[in-house]
Amino acid sequence: MHYVHGYSDRETTRLADQATTLEELLLSDTGYPSGSCVLEAGCGVGAQTLPLARRNPGATITAVDLSAVSLELARRRVLDAGLTGVAFRQADLRQLPYPDEIFDHVFVCFVLEHVDDVERVLQELRRVSRPGGSITVIEGDHGSFLFHPRTHASLHAWNCLVQAQAALGGDSLIGRRLFPLLRDAGFRVSTVSPRVLYADARTPEMLDAFARKIITAMVEGIRDIVLRNGLSDPGRFDEGLADLRCLASSPDSTLSYVFFKAVASR
Amino acid sequence: MHYVHGYSDRETTRLADQATTLEELLLSDTGYPSGSCVLEAGCGVGAQTLPLARRNPGATITAVDLSAVSLELARRRVLDAGLTGVAFRQADLRQLPYPDEIFDHVFVCFVLEHVDDVERVLQELRRVSRPGGSITVIEGDHGSFLFHPRTHASLHAWNCLVQAQAALGGDSLIGRRLFPLLRDAGFRVSTVSPRVLYADARTPEMLDAFARKIITAMVEGIRDIVLRNGLSDPGRFDEGLADLRCLASSPDSTLSYVFFKAVASR
């Protein structure tokens, strides 16, 4: 599995900024009972691990990821925040080093969009879930990103992100598919709840975070992959990037994006 | 002004179905004080007039529209529902037959997307608004429609709707622009709230209403305009329409759409 956004320092910062902006929107209604065992599948650099552990001090969280480097960053962050109760382990989500039915709850956030065999990963997550346990999946859907003002170049650069992710075997339009994916893996879906992040010039800090730290940073981060795969040329791509960057400070800008949060039971 | 969806009986039914499905999502937080004077600008066949009057029995609602035929249908519906307190008047939104500053509140729903001089309409609505009064604008944004499964043909048919509306001078992507439009017309925007309509096979009635009565009916209704304007050919368009129709009953279907509701003060 290739992670489209890479593993640079800049990328680590982007993920932390993104998590702070989104925490209230995405995690405020996720609470695990004291004493429960939670698997965070694909914790990356710990962007969600931190708020998850902070919000659920009584739960035991096991955070796994394929990348040892990311895991080390996540471990350090959680430690620096003075949080205990999180165990880290390097693992492939297609083949987890755990017996059947041992986790009460599974939590997956911004992971399945990068996976090239999502059905197999979900089946594996079901295998390690206790009957009656829950799975929470949060994914974006890049088709939902609306912005104003638009230019041909900025639309092109944004579309390159969707194509780059597809070229690596992922699906950045996965948000809309959570219901059939979870059902087909044998889960009973209880809710699929779309959540919109919206910003305009009335909230300049949020507009900046959304446009610059999330959107532009994400598109900047795939520049090499886009050019290497011939999805664009430097002139056109960089023009689009510049136009996207302008969204952060234009008085006319509006941005919106839909995240899908699904909760299902085993 | 040409109304992209036309004025057929079928279209009247579509608008009524759509209003019932959406009422809770869009209108539940709109309440006008007893005794206040409300202008509904562009009431059409009364799809919103009915719930608006039912929910605000103490308010005096003036519903205006350019089409005398639509107004008559709206009037009859409101009468049949036993609602009083709604006055109807034929009027051009660009030049309203009212003195300055006489309405306490203005309500506009699914109208601006069809207007070819939206700035002028908003200025006119501001003119008739009392200082300190409010304007509520609800519009969709066709760029936000996400569906699964997708085919080339269904994506094409859906895009024809966006193009047909543009060919008539409208903008079906207007939802994302509400903030700069209202601000530039001299209103002070207090909230822009995106609301997502989502359905999948777990709620078959809602899925059917969404896919068949809203989406497919809307695309069916523009068939003539699309073909007349050379935006598609019958074979391709009808294939897309058939694929969209399948969304209503497929066990894998998911649909989502974002409406933008803005509230601003004069």
Side-chain angles (χ1 to χ4, degrees), chain A:
Chain A
M1 280 181 272
H2 296 277
Y3 182 58
V4 69
H5 302 307
Y7 296 100
S8 65
D9 277 6
R10 169 146 208 187
E11 175 59 16
T12 303
T13 308
R14 182 186 75 79
L15 290 171
D17 286 335
Q18 178 173 309
T20 313
T21 311
L22 297 182
E23 179 177 336
E24 195 54 35
L25 185 68
L26 301 180
L27 295 186
S28 58
D29 56 346
T30 293
Y32 297 115
S34 203
S36 57
C37 276
V38 179
L39 172 69
E40 187 193 1
C43 67
V45 296
Q48 310 301 328
T49 318
L50 209 67
L52 208 60
R54 201 185 333 105
R55 287 168 173 271
N56 297 283
T60 301
I61 298 173
T62 302
V64 304
D65 202 272
L66 193 61
S67 158
V69 177
S70 295
L71 272 176
E72 185 46 36
L73 287 168
R75 190 197 316 265
R76 212 176 302 159
R77 262 166 99 175
V78 165
L79 217 67
D80 288 351
L83 294 163
T84 54
V86 184
F88 291 91
R89 184 158 178 184
Q90 190 178 3
D92 187 331
L93 298 187
R94 293 166 297 190
Q95 209 164 352
L96 291 167
Y98 299 108
D100 294 355
E101 307 184 356
I102 69 152
F103 291 105
D104 298 312
H105 305 286
V106 176
F107 178 86
V108 194
C109 185
F110 303 151
V111 173
L112 299 184
E113 58 176 315
H114 300 295
V115 162
D116 59 5
D117 40 9
V118 57
E119 288 82 2
R120 182 163 165 203
V121 168
L122 284 173
Q123 275 158 23
E124 184 65 356
L125 293 176
R126 183 170 184 277
R127 184 186 66 75
V128 300
S129 295
R130 181 175 66 64
S134 82
I135 182 168
T136 298
V137 181
I138 302 173
E139 296 289 342
D141 189 310
H142 285 1
S144 75
F145 179 46
L146 307 181
F147 57 104
H148 172 80
R150 288 164 295 153
T151 63
H152 286 293
S154 58
L155 284 167
H156 167 73
W158 177 253
N159 286 331
C160 283
L161 179 60
V162 177
Q163 291 168 52
Q165 207 148 325
L168 294 181
D171 177 11
S172 63
L173 311 181
I174 201 172
R176 70 189 80 179
R177 291 203 294 135
L178 292 186
F179 164 66
L181 283 171
L182 283 163
R183 181 204 53 199
D184 291 351
F187 291 102
R188 195 166 48 79
V189 179
S190 45
T191 57
V192 178
S193 144
R195 289 151 198 227
V196 188
L197 188 67
Y198 170 85
D200 60 39
R202 288 170 307 140
T203 52
E205 280 181 31
M206 203 175 149
L207 182 67
D208 179 69
F210 193 168
R212 197 170 53 85
K213 297 182 186 167
I214 300 182
I215 299 297
T216 310
M218 204 147 59
V219 177
E220 269 167 0
I222 52 126
R223 190 174 184 279
D224 290 349
I225 299 167
V226 164
L227 298 182
R228 207 182 312 132
N229 284 270
L231 300 172
S232 185
D233 56 84
R236 192 156 177 234
F237 186 79
D238 291 342
E239 186 193 338
L241 209 45
D243 289 347
L244 285 173
R245 212 172 278 125
C246 287
L247 291 171
S249 52
S250 154
D252 288 341
S253 292
T254 74
L255 288 85
S256 89
Y257 187 100
V258 184
F259 299 93
F260 290 85
K261 178 170 185 173
V263 179
S265 57
R266 157 78 151 90

Side-chain angles (χ1 to χ4, degrees), chain B residues 86-143:
Chain B
V86 184
F88 291 92
R89 184 157 179 185
Q90 190 177 3
D92 187 332
L93 298 186
R94 295 167 296 189
Q95 208 165 352
L96 291 166
Y98 299 108
D100 294 357
E101 306 184 357
I102 69 154
F103 292 104
D104 298 312
H105 305 286
V106 175
F107 179 86
V108 194
C109 184
F110 304 150
V111 173
L112 299 184
E113 57 175 317
H114 300 295
V115 162
D116 59 5
D117 40 8
V118 57
E119 288 82 2
R120 182 162 164 202
V121 167
L122 284 173
Q123 274 158 24
E124 184 65 357
L125 294 175
R126 184 172 182 276
R127 184 185 67 76
V128 301
S129 295
R130 182 175 64 66
S134 82
I135 182 168
T136 299
V137 181
I138 302 173
E139 297 288 342
D141 190 311
H142 284 2

